[in-house]
Amino acid sequence: MRLGIVGLPNVGKSTLFNALTKAGAQAANYPFCTIEPNLGTVCVPDERLDVLLKLYDSRKVVPAFVEFVDIAGLVKGASKGEGLGNKFLSHIREVDAIVHVVRCFEDKDVIHVEGSVDPGRDIETIETELLLADIDSLEKRIEKTEKMLKGSKDKKIADEVEMMKKLLAHISEGKSVRTFTDDDEDKELINGYFLLTSKPIIYAANVSEAEMTSGHSGDNKSVQFVEERAKIEGAEVVVISAKVEDEIAQLEDEEKALFLEELGFKESGLDRLIKASYKLLGLFSYLTAGKQEIRAWTIINGTKAPQAAGKIHTDFEKGFIRAEIVSYDDLIKYGSVSDARDHGKVRVEGKDYVMQDGDVVNFRFNN
């Protein structure tokens, strides 16, 4: 999963990204790498892995990962190539979801590029550039498809052109592709257009350190505006203080836990951001466990057992026989697979089984 972090200058975008990369480096048991200066890979927080690590006395643990891309270069006119516009837009096309950092704090020492804090204006600035790029892209697609339609009586193509024209009218009114339709067939077609405003979005409402640590961020009018906007978009909101997250990320694990406890937080804002991303994209993890390693595998809701096995190796999917499954909760309750089996909690599932979050699985397959 790759998430693109966007935002106007001086909203806390780079501070948040720096906190993310430091957090990844601090995870002692988990591998971390920075592929480029603007690309960081961070482990997905999953408390179950450490529990299984102790239960199995495994040699290593391998979590699921999420990549964060610090996307720079947005100015007004980006859709027309202003500034680093073309690079900015191409980077967004490559991500699975957008994390839009919105400034919700006042600080006279940090000058806003527009001269004042106004989350509505800031969101519109970025959304407008994405919409303009989508309008241009869709107009070209309609023109190309209409040429295909000439001399053809293919109703499927004609229906698609009609749908695209309705979509064009929708986004020309300043509405995102995300809010266009609930029809699964139309959604599948639209996903193939790779339009920017079709990307799922998470708003990271960046508040001051004082508001975050005092627990009064919910009283922030700017945060309330972002939350209302998110409801309309069907988006997620994570209230975060990039400055606090940067401080947390520099602590060792034990110090981090104490600091979070002092603040009254169960988890860091970065952990909440990653979990919100999973929820938004309909993702979850199933687990494999043994002496060699404990591992989390990311799949999408609705994935069946053979396809889940294919995440490990294509041979597992091709030669799939069955999946032996125990839920994580039952495994921890009874202490071992054999004891869980004695209590009837180990299931044998076939090709039609739909995987569930926290399934601990042993796949059987033909070589």
Side-chain angles (χ1 to χ4, degrees), residues 196-266:
L196 301 176
T197 63
S198 68
K199 303 280 185 187
I201 190 164
I202 299 170
Y203 290 110
N206 188 18
V207 300
S208 69
E209 183 176 12
E211 280 184 312
M212 198 73 206
T213 54
S214 68
H216 292 143
S217 59
D219 300 329
N220 185 310
K221 298 296 184 185
S222 293
V223 170
Q224 292 169 7
F225 175 87
V226 175
E227 288 173 339
E228 287 300 316
R229 170 72 182 237
K231 285 180 186 176
I232 297 169
E233 291 278 332
E236 293 283 327
V237 179
V238 175
V239 180
I240 201 166
S241 169
K243 195 170 181 181
V244 170
E245 295 306 318
D246 194 39
E247 291 173 10
I248 292 172
Q250 297 181 58
L251 301 174
E252 297 295 335
D253 287 346
E254 287 185 13
E255 294 175 318
K256 183 190 294 186
L258 286 171
F259 185 60
L260 288 172
E261 188 178 339
E262 286 174 7
L263 294 177
F265 299 155
K266 292 182 179 178

Side-chain angles (χ1 to χ4, degrees), residues 155-326:
K155 187 175 184 303
K156 192 174 180 180
I157 296 177
D159 288 345
E160 184 174 358
V161 169
E162 186 63 27
M163 185 273 293
M164 284 193 289
K165 287 182 176 179
K166 288 179 181 177
L167 176 58
L168 179 60
H170 177 83
I171 63 177
S172 295
E173 293 175 358
K175 302 171 184 176
S176 70
V177 175
R178 291 183 294 274
T179 62
F180 176 62
T181 183
D182 290 323
D183 184 89
D184 290 337
E185 196 171 317
D186 283 348
K187 278 185 176 181
E188 190 174 345
L189 270 175
I190 292 167
N191 286 340
Y193 302 161
F194 302 104
L195 298 172
L196 301 176
T197 63
S198 68
K199 303 280 185 187
I201 190 164
I202 299 170
Y203 290 110
N206 188 18
V207 300
S208 69
E209 183 176 12
E211 280 184 312
M212 198 73 206
T213 54
S214 68
H216 292 143
S217 59
D219 300 329
N220 185 310
K221 298 296 184 185
S222 293
V223 170
Q224 292 169 7
F225 175 87
V226 175
E227 288 173 339
E228 287 300 316
R229 170 72 182 237
K231 285 180 186 176
I232 297 169
E233 291 278 332
E236 293 283 327
V237 179
V238 175
V239 180
I240 201 166
S241 169
K243 195 170 181 181
V244 170
E245 295 306 318
D246 194 39
E247 291 173 10
I248 292 172
Q250 297 181 58
L251 301 174
E252 297 295 335
D253 287 346
E254 287 185 13
E255 294 175 318
K256 183 190 294 186
L258 286 171
F259 185 60
L260 288 172
E261 188 178 339
E262 286 174 7
L263 294 177
F265 299 155
K266 292 182 179 178
E267 56 190 350
S268 72
L270 300 184
D271 287 351
R272 288 187 286 108
L273 180 60
I274 294 170
K275 288 180 179 180
S277 306
Y278 259 54
K279 178 183 174 184
L280 185 68
L281 294 170
L283 302 174
F284 67 88
S285 295
Y286 76 85
L287 310 165
T288 54
K291 190 70 177 176
Q292 292 297 320
E293 71 172 26
I294 305 298
R295 187 161 187 153
W297 304 86
T298 299
I299 54 177
I300 194 165
N301 287 333
T303 300
K304 293 185 177 180
Q307 289 69 52
K311 291 285 289 184
I312 300 174
H313 198 287
T314 53
D315 289 347
F316 282 32
E317 182 176 357
K318 291 175 185 175
F320 179 88
I321 300 173
R322 64 182 182 273
E324 296 172 358
I325 297 174
V326 58

